[in-house]
């Protein structure tokens, strides 16, 4: 036979209760204390009522929100943990996303990131993309390309076109993952097939240069055309360049000028410079030195490699009085 321990006297028996007034033990059959006659109060804590401490269940903490992908990052920074006051648990992912977008517009990066992250952890693709962007740009959280890649990849797996394009960028530039042109082109293709103009433009570059795919200038022109028609300024410039020099398409200077104009008006610096060249030389359009000076000036003011060349050409215009009042001092 196994020996049994005597019951501990400091634990109440299931049939007893403690009087709040005098701390005397009483039977549950008694509704008043046998010593002071105070009535028993039900539903109190075990040390002051009629419950056995061994029967009391403590509330377990809620488990963390599970990620839909084990590779998803979890932030340890204070800004990545939304407070219960600003983000109620009853708030839907769509509601959190919409609130975060408004906070982002107000440049309240920390608050926006907290909400994006919370919604992202619930599997909200747009919020996963915004969380990735925040990590990539260091807005509301320390910059972390590894985490950015993980969140882009998770949203991309949900068929989110902008995220698929962004995963392609990560592979192309080696941010958060080793560089791989073939994988970059594959992800660009996924997004391009959904009509994403950034992906179409970048995939065209891959085909034009033979990066990750076999060189195919015709396919590059086709993709640049699709992106240019949607208003992508870099695609418009690249398409103009192809028409200007007959790359992958028959040379057509007037068509080149039209695409240069579209891109230049959107601030594309290379397009501004080459549109100025067309006006200066009369290529695809009538010579107009004043307009050449105008577009050289726009290009010269850009923070871009072409700016220095534009400044040089603009200086010559002022030196010679070509399209502008002659001013040697301004030419320097």
């Amino acid at each position: 036979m196994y020996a049994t321990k005597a019951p501990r006297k400091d634990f109440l028996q299931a049939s007893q209760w403690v009087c709040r007034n005098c701390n005397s033990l009483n039977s549950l059959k008694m509704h008043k204390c046998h010593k002071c006659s105070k009535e028993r109060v039900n539903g109190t804590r075990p040390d002051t009522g009629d419950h056995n401490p061994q029967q009391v269940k403590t509330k377990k903490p809620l488990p963390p929100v599970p990620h839909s992908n084990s590779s998803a990052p979890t932030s340890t920074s204070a800004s990545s943990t939304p407070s219960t006051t600003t983000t109620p648990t009853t708030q839907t992912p769509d509601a959190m996303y919409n609130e975060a977008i408004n906070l982002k517009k107000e440049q309240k990066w920390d608050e926006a990131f907290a909400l994006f992250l919370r919604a992202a952890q619930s599997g909200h693709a747009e919020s996963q993309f915004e969380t990735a962007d925040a990590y990539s740009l260091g807005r509301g959280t320390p910059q972390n390309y590894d985490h950015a890649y993980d969140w882009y990849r998770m949203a991309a797996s949900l068929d989110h076109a902008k995220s698929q394009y962004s995963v392609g960028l990560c592979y192309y530039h080696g941010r958060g993952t080793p560089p791989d042109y073939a994988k970059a082109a594959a992800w660009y293709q996924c997004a391009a097939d959904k009509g994403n103009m950034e992906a179409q433009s970048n995939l065209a570059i891959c085909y034009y240069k033979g990066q990750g795919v076999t060189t195919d200038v015709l396919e590059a022109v086709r993709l640049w055309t699709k992106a240019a028609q949607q208003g992508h300024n870099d695609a418009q410039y690249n398409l103009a360049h192809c028409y200007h020099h007959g790359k992958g398409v028959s040379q057509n200077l007037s068509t080149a000028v039209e695409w240069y104009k579209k891109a230049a008006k959107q601030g594309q610096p290379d397009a501004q410079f080459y549109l100025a060249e067309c006006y200066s030389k009369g290529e695809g359009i009538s010579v107009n030195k004043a307009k050449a000076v105008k577009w050289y000036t726009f290009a010269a003011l850009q923070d871009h490699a072409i700016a220095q060349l534009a400044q040089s050409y603009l200086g010559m215009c002022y030196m010679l009085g070509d399209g502008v009042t002659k001013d040697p001092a301004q030419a320097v």
Side-chain angles (χ1 to χ4, degrees), residues 8-24:
R8 290 176 54 184
K9 294 182 180 180
D10 57 336
F11 274 15
L12 296 177
Q13 299 300 312
S15 60
Q16 294 176 321
W17 61 279
V18 177
C19 176
R20 285 186 171 184
N21 188 45
C22 65
N23 291 327
S24 299

Side-chain angles (χ1 to χ4, degrees), residues 37-53:
S37 298
K38 184 175 178 64
E39 290 189 354
R40 173 164 62 93
V41 180
N42 291 322
T44 56
R45 291 174 56 197
D47 58 340
T48 58
D50 59 1
H51 298 291
N52 189 323

Side-chain angles (χ1 to χ4, degrees), residues 27-329:
S27 169
L28 284 180
K29 295 179 180 180
M30 300 176 65
H31 296 285
K32 291 185 179 181
C33 178
H34 73 279
K35 189 170 184 179
C36 67
S37 298
K38 184 175 178 64
E39 290 189 354
R40 173 164 62 93
V41 180
N42 291 322
T44 56
R45 291 174 56 197
D47 58 340
T48 58
D50 59 1
H51 298 291
N52 189 323
Q54 294 172 309
Q55 296 175 325
V56 177
K57 294 182 179 179
T58 58
K59 189 177 289 186
K60 294 182 179 180
L62 293 174
V65 180
H67 295 303
S68 60
N69 186 316
S70 59
S71 65
T74 54
S75 175
T76 56
S77 65
S79 63
S80 67
T81 306
S83 65
T84 55
T85 55
T86 58
T87 311
T89 55
T90 56
Q91 201 172 10
T92 65
D94 280 339
M96 286 188 281
Y97 170 76
N98 290 332
E99 184 178 344
I101 287 294
N102 290 331
L103 290 168
K104 180 182 174 182
K105 290 176 182 177
E106 297 171 9
Q107 297 188 6
K108 296 180 179 179
W109 307 118
D110 290 356
E111 295 172 62
F113 174 73
L115 283 169
F116 282 137
L117 180 64
R118 186 69 174 273
Q121 290 172 331
S122 298
H124 193 267
E126 284 287 350
S127 295
Q128 290 172 348
F129 170 78
E130 292 289 347
T131 298
D133 254 13
Y135 275 121
S136 181
L137 298 171
R139 288 180 174 172
T141 186
Q143 189 177 57
N144 189 313
Y145 288 132
D146 291 341
H147 286 186
Y149 168 79
D150 287 338
W151 282 111
Y152 283 136
R153 184 66 178 79
M154 188 186 299
S157 69
L158 297 176
D159 226 23
H160 189 262
K162 288 188 291 185
S163 296
Q164 291 174 336
Y165 161 69
S166 296
V167 172
L169 279 180
C170 290
Y171 277 115
Y172 192 90
H173 296 289
R175 292 176 180 170
T177 187
D180 189 321
Y181 285 147
K183 289 182 179 179
W187 281 106
Y188 287 154
Q189 186 71 65
C190 289
D193 288 344
K194 295 178 178 64
N196 183 280
M197 63 180 182
E198 287 88 359
Q200 290 168 345
S201 182
N202 282 25
L203 182 58
I205 292 172
C206 291
Y207 275 109
Y208 192 84
K209 295 182 176 181
Q211 295 175 324
V213 291
T214 303
T215 301
D216 189 338
V217 179
L218 290 175
E219 179 64 7
V221 169
R222 187 187 74 83
L223 287 163
W224 275 325
T225 301
K226 291 175 74 70
Q229 289 170 342
Q230 293 188 70
H232 193 279
N233 63 357
D234 285 336
Q236 290 170 341
Y237 162 70
N238 286 324
L239 186 59
H241 177 83
C242 289
Y243 276 107
H244 196 160
H245 300 283
K247 298 289 184 71
V249 68
S250 299
Q251 187 181 43
N252 190 321
L253 296 181
S254 60
T255 301
V257 167
E258 290 306 309
W259 284 115
Y260 280 142
K261 283 182 178 179
K262 290 179 185 295
K265 287 177 181 178
Q266 293 195 75
Q268 215 288 342
D270 290 303
Q272 291 173 341
F273 175 80
Y274 286 104
L275 179 58
E277 283 283 271
C278 290
Y279 274 119
S280 179
K281 298 175 181 178
E283 292 183 344
I285 198 168
S286 300
V287 171
N288 190 320
K289 297 293 186 177
K291 287 188 177 181
V293 169
K294 170 189 170 181
W295 288 110
Y296 281 138
T297 301
F298 280 127
L301 294 174
Q302 295 271 27
D303 183 16
H304 190 272
I306 201 73
Q308 186 173 356
L309 186 58
Q311 290 166 2
S312 176
Y313 277 57
L314 187 59
M316 289 298 296
C317 292
Y318 276 105
M319 181 67 71
L320 301 174
D322 198 5
V324 67
T325 303
K326 188 173 181 179
D327 188 346

